[in-house]
Amino acid sequence: MSKFSLTKAFLFTLKKVPFIIITISILEILNGFILPLQVVFLSNFLDSIINHLKKHVDLIIVIKWLIIFMSTFLYSAVAETILNIFDIKFQQKMKMEFESILLKKQQKLQYGFIEDRKIYDLIARVNDNPAIKIQSSIQNLLKIVADIISIGGVI
C-alpha cells in the first residue's frame, strides 16, 4: 500500500477540477511577483518625487508612479477575493469527489475489517476532511513557490 503523496494529490485534483486548480496556481504564483513589483514601483515613485522637487519632472510623472504603486495593492485585494471564491469552489468539488470515492471503498470492505479497531481508526482518519487536507497541502506548496519568487525578486 503506497502513501498518497502530494504529487499524486496535485495530479488527482488537476484531473478532477483542472480550471479551478490552474486558476488558483496562477493567482498564487502571480502573488509572488507583487512584492518585488511594489519595491520597484515605490522606488520609481520616490525617485520621481525627488526629481519633481528638483524641477526635473512634472507632477504628472509623480502621480503616474503613485497610481501604479497603489494598483499593486488593489490587485492584491482583488486576487485575494478571487482566491477565496475559487478555494470554496475547490473545496466543495473535492469534498464531493472524495466522499463518493471513500463511500464506495467503505462499502467494499468486509465486516471483519470494520470491527478491527486499528483499521476503524485508519478509516476515521481518512474520512476526516481529506479534501481540506489536500487543499491546504497544495496551497502551502503554492505559497512556498510564491515566497521563493518574492524573495528572489527582492534580492
Side-chain angles (χ1 to χ4, degrees):
M1 188 165 106
S2 67
K3 290 193 171 196
F4 198 69
S5 69
L6 185 59
T7 307
K8 287 182 183 178
F10 186 77
L11 292 175
F12 178 80
T13 56
L14 189 59
K15 185 174 86 173
K16 295 298 180 181
V17 285
F19 176 72
I20 293 174
I21 194 70
I22 289 171
T23 305
I24 289 172
S25 300
I26 290 171
L27 286 173
E28 285 287 354
I29 291 170
L30 285 176
N31 282 342
F33 288 105
I34 290 297
L35 182 62
L37 287 175
Q38 284 177 336
V39 170
V40 169
F41 295 154
L42 179 61
S43 172
N44 288 339
F45 172 62
L46 294 174
D47 287 344
S48 67
I49 290 175
I50 291 169
N51 288 333
H52 176 68
L53 293 175
K54 293 179 179 179
K55 306 289 186 208
H56 295 298
V57 295
D58 290 333
L59 186 61
I60 299 285
I61 304 296
V62 175
I63 294 171
K64 177 187 84 168
W65 282 113
L66 176 64
I67 290 171
I68 291 172
F69 177 65
M70 296 306 289
S71 68
T72 59
F73 291 104
L74 178 65
Y75 169 79
S76 294
V78 170
E80 190 68 31
T81 303
I82 292 170
L83 269 172
N84 288 338
I85 291 169
F86 277 102
D87 283 342
I88 291 169
K89 288 183 182 279
F90 176 79
Q91 210 173 63
Q92 290 171 342
K93 290 190 180 223
M94 291 310 294
K95 186 176 180 181
M96 288 187 325
E97 286 290 330
F98 275 109
E99 283 180 356
S100 66
I101 290 171
L102 291 174
L103 189 60
K104 288 177 187 174
K105 296 262 183 194
Q106 286 176 2
Q107 289 173 348
K108 292 179 183 177
L109 281 177
Q110 294 176 357
Y111 187 72
F113 288 122
I114 295 173
E115 286 186 345
D116 187 3
R117 186 71 183 155
K118 289 181 183 178
I119 294 176
Y120 183 77
D121 289 343
L122 180 62
I123 291 170
R125 276 189 283 144
V126 168
N127 281 334
D128 187 28
N129 297 323
I132 293 172
K133 290 177 182 175
I134 288 177
Q135 178 189 15
S136 68
S137 298
I138 291 172
Q139 283 178 333
N140 290 339
L141 176 68
L142 291 171
K143 285 183 195 269
I144 288 171
V145 171
D147 289 345
I148 290 170
I149 292 169
S150 288
I151 291 169
V154 170
I155 292 176

